[in-house]
Amino acid sequence: MSPRRDLEIIASLVPAGARVLDLGCGTGEMLSHLKRTRGCTGYGVEIDDANVHACVQRGIDVLQLNLEDGLALFEDQSFDVVLQLETLQHLRNTERMLRETARIGRIGIVSFPNFAHWPNRLRVATGRMPVTKALPYEWYDTPNIRVGTFADFEVLARKNGLKVTDAFGLQDGEVVRRWPNLLASVAVFRIERG
Amino acid sequence: MGSVGEVTPQQMHFSEPLPLRSGAMLPAYDLVYETYGTLNAQRSNAVLVCHALNASHHVAGTYAGQARSEGWWDNLVGPGKPLDTDRFFVIGVNNPGSCFGSTGPRDLNPATGRAWGADFPVVTVEDWVDAQARLLDALGIGQLAAVIGGSLGGMQALGWTMRHPQRVRHCAAIATAPNLSAQNIAFNEVARRAIVTDPDFHGGHFYAHGVLPRRGLRVARMIGHITYLSDDAMEQKFGRELRAAEFGYTTQDIEFQIESYLRHQGDKFSDYFDANTYLLITRALDYFDPAREHGGDLACAFDAARGCGFLVVSFTTDWRFSPARSREIVKALVDNRIDVSYAEIAAPHGHDAFLLDDERYHRVVRAWFDRVDIG
């Protein structure tokens, strides 16, 4: 994994000047990057006190909300882009969040650890849960309460009437378009309302 | 982090009457205020601090020769503190109608030559904002770097951004609400009835009778105080602790420590607070409702505030002005695409948390003020 390259690759999916809502924005790194390099505006949503503080410190507008409580605060189609990067796997109500993403944003960009990446498959084949850079936790202490694969997400998107306008994997800071379900540790999807 | 040290209140006289929202006029009046820090050459670093129900212009520092005379927000305002007086010129002003030095019900009504008493005109949050704006005119401050307030003070801070948006660049609204709920108004009404039905109230003209409606004020304060604390905080502080070792089986004497605490708070309050001021200020709370003149649409009310940057803070255990009320404000700002950060602090103390020294709360306020540009 190369967090910096991953960030740049995902940022390149965001149109310049877009109004962006970053769900689970962490310390505001992505929004800060988008603001600086692509002239974007918008807000981050974050639950963690330390992350909220970090965002305010770097001048990123952040709203301290619990995503599990829903996103009623945001009107339909009120953002050009809704980001949900490495967030989905921590949420109980995955499906609703996905629908909310498409309701609020014209474009949704989602990334999450791909459980079907080949080292994970090997590890499971030996009878143990994987512990890797993308999935660095033991089964008993992982905050990732939803583990899915690149292929699984395509099915979920279709089920919710969402159109996938781009999809690829990320591995070692490179885009993986050939067999991403096997060869990439991170899955990236760009979705729109169907 | 230090204190602003010893401070001296100042007074400003205004001879031009202040038109009020009710249609009435406040004739010539005085405002008492304090300032901390230094106004820079460009006059671009002024921050106005708005006070809540029972506070005043005395925001920070101490009075010479008076023990325990720290200002009500001394933990937040001072050199090196979250609102840093090394960087900002901070102004605290006592609102008209209050009882801490600015013109209020205890002062003489020029029309009658008697104390205003109950005849003091009804003042609103917007009227206070206008009075504060006049003080800034007199101080030669065209635009505030920021306005900040908690609770009723937060309402004034919000009022600034709607009423004088061109005169304020940033607004911090803490533990506040876009209007009072029916429950909030109900608590205010109980407090007002306690005062008004006190036989010593004399229709608000008790000064002439040489008495004070202390019983009413005490009960009003007791009621108010319950709403400032969380259930948990009260449980932790007092629980069912008794004053004596055993029940005394009395209906009128104090049995539980919480009773003793509330009575003590009531007694203290009735020594220094004016009954007519209590009525006026609770009414100002009731009337505040910026969405009302926009058909109930709060986002419309904030339309004027575009261009101003906001910080909204709430506390999870505040049931007087709950986080849900702050989120209404945040939503209205987001709907207007206005810059806003919102912190929901998991503090145990209830509404009073905004006055307390909580690390997570203060560091967000500090980080936000650090980004406030002073040119």
Side-chain angles (χ1 to χ4, degrees), chain B residues 282-317:
Chain B
T282 54
R283 255 311 185 221
L285 275 159
D286 294 356
Y287 284 135
F288 182 70
D289 188 6
R292 191 169 181 270
E293 57 202 76
H294 300 276
D297 188 339
L298 189 63
C300 267
F302 276 111
D303 181 65
R306 289 168 197 251
C308 189
F310 287 73
L311 173 68
V312 178
V313 180
S314 73
F315 301 93
T316 50
T317 54

Side-chain angles (χ1 to χ4, degrees), chain B residues 24-42:
Chain B
M25 284 276 189
L26 183 61
Y29 57 98
D30 290 314
L31 294 180
V32 175
Y33 65 100
E34 288 179 10
T35 68
Y36 324 102
T38 311
L39 186 63
N40 63 14
Q42 308 93 298

Side-chain angles (χ1 to χ4, degrees), chain A residues 157-172:
Chain A
R158 208 175 310 128
K159 177 174 175 252
N160 284 281
L162 302 173
K163 194 165 67 184
V164 174
T165 54
D166 196 8
F168 54 85
L170 289 173
Q171 184 58 38
D172 298 322

Side-chain angles (χ1 to χ4, degrees), chain A residues 19 43 49-50 52-53 56-65 69 72-75 78-79 106, chain B residues 310-311 327 330-331 333-335 337-346 360 363-364 367-368 371:
Chain A
R19 182 166 153 79
Y43 310 92
D49 288 330
V52 167
H53 176 244
V56 174
Q57 246 181 341
R58 58 157 44 127
I60 291 299
D61 282 332
V62 62
L63 310 177
Q64 189 164 25
L65 303 170
D69 295 339
L73 201 121
F74 305 103
E75 295 288 332
S78 53
F79 289 84
R106 275 179 273 280
Chain B
F310 287 73
L311 173 68
R327 287 197 292 262
V330 171
K331 175 163 185 6
L333 296 171
V334 168
D335 285 349
R337 304 185 165 209
I338 289 171
D339 286 348
V340 53
S341 279
Y342 170 59
E344 199 168 293
I345 309 291
R360 286 158 302 176
R363 77 178 173 181
V364 167
W368 184 80
R371 309 282 310 190

Side-chain angles (χ1 to χ4, degrees), chain A residues 169-187:
Chain A
L170 289 173
Q171 184 58 38
D172 298 322
E174 297 297 334
V175 172
V176 180
R177 289 195 178 272
R178 199 180 148 94
W179 300 327
N181 198 37
L182 185 67
L183 298 180
S185 59
V186 175

Side-chain angles (χ1 to χ4, degrees), chain A residues 57-158:
Chain A
Q57 246 181 341
R58 58 157 44 127
I60 291 299
D61 282 332
V62 62
L63 310 177
Q64 189 164 25
L65 303 170
N66 185 351
L67 293 174
E68 300 281 15
D69 295 339
L71 295 169
L73 201 121
F74 305 103
E75 295 288 332
D76 293 0
Q77 302 291 290
S78 53
F79 289 84
D80 298 316
V81 178
V82 176
L83 300 175
Q84 220 171 315
L85 308 178
E86 302 288 327
T87 303
L88 213 53
Q89 69 266 27
H90 305 308
L91 300 175
R92 214 171 322 137
N93 213 333
T94 317
E95 213 171 346
R96 189 178 72 172
M97 280 308 296
L98 203 57
R99 282 196 302 266
E100 283 286 86
T101 297
R103 174 184 69 80
I104 297 163
R106 275 179 273 280
I107 300 171
I109 298 171
V110 178
S111 76
F112 59 91
N114 173 29
F115 197 76
H117 188 211
W118 66 266
N120 300 340
R121 298 189 192 197
L122 276 185
R123 180 79 174 165
V124 173
T126 69
R128 299 287 306 278
M129 283 295 279
V131 179
T132 63
K133 270 191 229 163
L135 291 165
Y137 304 96
E138 295 286 352
W139 66 275
Y140 50 82
D141 67 2
T142 179
N144 301 325
I145 58 172
R146 299 280 181 245
V147 282
T149 70
F150 192 98
D152 286 334
F153 190 88
E154 288 176 319
V155 175
L156 183 66
R158 208 175 310 128

Side-chain angles (χ1 to χ4, degrees), chain A residues 3-72:
Chain A
R4 189 67 210 172
R5 267 301 289 157
D6 288 3
L7 181 143
E8 284 166 5
I9 292 166
I10 291 170
S12 70
L13 301 176
V14 178
R19 182 166 153 79
V20 180
L21 183 66
D22 187 354
L23 303 176
C25 66
T27 61
E29 208 183 346
M30 176 58 92
L31 275 174
S32 176
H33 178 81
L34 288 172
K35 202 170 152 182
R36 210 176 46 247
T37 63
R38 305 182 80 80
C40 295
T41 59
Y43 310 92
V45 173
E46 182 51 55
I47 191 169
D48 179 73
D49 288 330
N51 284 345
V52 167
H53 176 244
C55 287
V56 174
Q57 246 181 341
R58 58 157 44 127
I60 291 299
D61 282 332
V62 62
L63 310 177
Q64 189 164 25
L65 303 170
N66 185 351
L67 293 174
E68 300 281 15
D69 295 339
L71 295 169

